[in-house]
Amino acid sequence: MATIGIDVGGSKAAAVLLDETGAVIGSEWREHASDQFGVVDVVVALVEELSRSEHVDRVGVSLAAWLTPDRVGVLIGANLGLEATPLQARLVELLGVPVVLENDGNATAYAEYTRGAGSGSRMLVSLALGTGVGGGIVADGRLLTGANGFGAELGHLQVETDGPACVCGGFGCLELYASGRAVAAAAGRPTRQVVAAARDGDSEARGALAGAGRAIGRALGRIVAVVDPDAVLLSGSLAESASELILEPAQAELARCLPLSAVLRPVAIRLGSCGRDAAALGAAELARAAVISSGGEVTEQRGDTNE
Ligand SMILES: [Zn+2]
């Protein structure tokens, strides 16, 4: 029995195939059209491709989207062209196996907890720095998703009270300072060029990345007071390409604004270890951990190591 995990991003979908033990035995990716048909098509195509050699009995799908609290559908996925889409039922009908949905920030956190740099952590905080900033918290082995499914939206933690308006309706959110989009805007060029220029010593580029790091440190100062983490991990394309240029200012800012400093030691901010497939791996692990009823329905999917 094998499991497939698929991460559907803005224009590409990446898939991994795990065997019974959780080992990666295949991977694939495809571009897709960003609308509900494109998203469904690409998931079906990737599952067909990867299930040629193995009998796949569960599929996990990670999406850059806000999901319904019960994880059966997408509420809003602006970058995917999705709105009010009952995605789980549609995919179950087409694939004929149980399907688990989760947002990409949570899926990334779950991958790091189950098989990455956060394994064994009691309270894991994960920030995925890509086009936006995804967040995830794994508390005692379970994703913290909140009462309405929007828990751990750490990219929308306010770091500047007088900051600009965010797409979420808030102001001064972390995502406005620490995402790839924010870094590109601050340095006036594409993110990849910013990172390359910063490595060559360009002060404006270094400043943009350090600004992202400081915003992360400030956000973490607040997160620490709420959840007291023992692992804090950064992942995503921006964190991986500019790790030390972001990690050092983030750590310094966290030390500067650490609450409870009489009793807490600053937790080390580290790079995640699941790489670019983190969200796909996390989706697969969530599918593996899900409780499936005898009728083939997902009855519990947030992961629970106690079961
Ligand atoms: Zn926001």
Side-chain angles (χ1 to χ4, degrees):
M1 294 294 183
T3 307
I4 289 175
I6 300 177
D7 175 41
V8 184
S11 59
K12 279 188 295 189
V16 292
L17 173 66
L18 307 190
D19 71 10
E20 220 165 325
T21 67
V24 178
I25 53 172
S27 64
E28 194 62 60
W29 70 272
R30 285 181 188 222
E31 291 185 344
H32 65 83
S34 295
D35 58 39
Q36 56 171 307
F37 306 107
V39 170
V40 169
D41 285 352
V42 79
V43 169
V44 171
L46 285 165
V47 170
E48 278 175 1
E49 180 78 34
L50 284 174
S51 50
R52 279 195 190 135
S53 56
E54 295 288 327
H55 177 76
V56 171
D57 66 345
R58 292 178 182 207
V59 172
V61 181
S62 145
L63 299 143
W66 281 320
L67 305 178
T68 59
D70 54 7
R71 297 322 199 224
V72 300
V74 174
L75 286 174
I76 305 171
N79 293 333
L80 300 177
L82 297 180
E83 201 179 330
T85 310
L87 194 60
Q88 189 189 48
R90 206 166 291 171
L91 289 172
V92 167
E93 190 187 330
L94 292 167
L95 300 173
V97 294
V99 175
V100 160
L101 307 181
E102 191 47 79
N103 86 45
D104 51 2
N106 284 343
T108 297
Y110 200 65
E112 294 294 347
Y113 171 74
T114 47
R115 54 193 300 139
S119 70
S121 157
R122 282 188 61 195
M123 186 62 77
L124 166 76
V125 170
S126 159
L127 290 172
L129 316 181
T131 313
V133 174
I137 295 176
V138 184
D140 291 324
R142 290 174 69 86
L143 276 175
L144 193 155
T145 52
N148 299 296
F150 304 110
E153 279 291 342
L154 307 177
H156 297 286
L157 200 68
Q158 190 181 56
V159 293
E160 292 285 355
T161 47
D162 300 324
C166 178
V167 287
C168 75
F171 292 87
C173 296
L174 175 62
E175 181 164 294
L176 299 171
Y177 302 89
S179 62
R181 200 184 288 142
V183 165
R189 54 200 126 155
T191 316
R192 212 171 284 179
Q193 286 179 27
V194 179
V195 175
R199 292 205 187 289
D200 289 340
D202 181 294
S203 60
E204 192 186 28
R206 292 184 80 89
L209 292 167
R214 282 194 302 276
I216 289 166
R218 208 167 313 143
L220 287 172
R222 292 169 186 182
I223 295 166
V224 163
V226 180
V227 300
D228 182 12
D230 57 0
V232 174
L233 301 173
L234 302 187
S235 55
S237 52
L238 178 61
E240 278 171 29
S241 64
S243 55
E244 78 287 0
L245 297 165
I246 291 176
L247 280 172
E248 281 175 26
Q251 195 77 62
E253 184 68 7
L254 173 58
R256 193 182 73 78
C257 61
L258 186 77
L260 311 171
S261 58
V263 285
L264 278 184
R265 293 180 60 78
V267 57
I269 307 168
R270 294 178 292 140
L271 207 55
S273 63
C274 289
R276 64 177 57 184
D277 284 332
L281 289 166
E285 290 293 355
L286 280 163
R288 274 158 53 82
V291 179
I292 311 288
S293 75
S294 54
E297 295 205 335
V298 177
T299 56
E300 173 62 57
Q301 78 162 62
R302 290 171 195 175
D304 192 340
T305 52
N306 298 325
E307 286 189 33

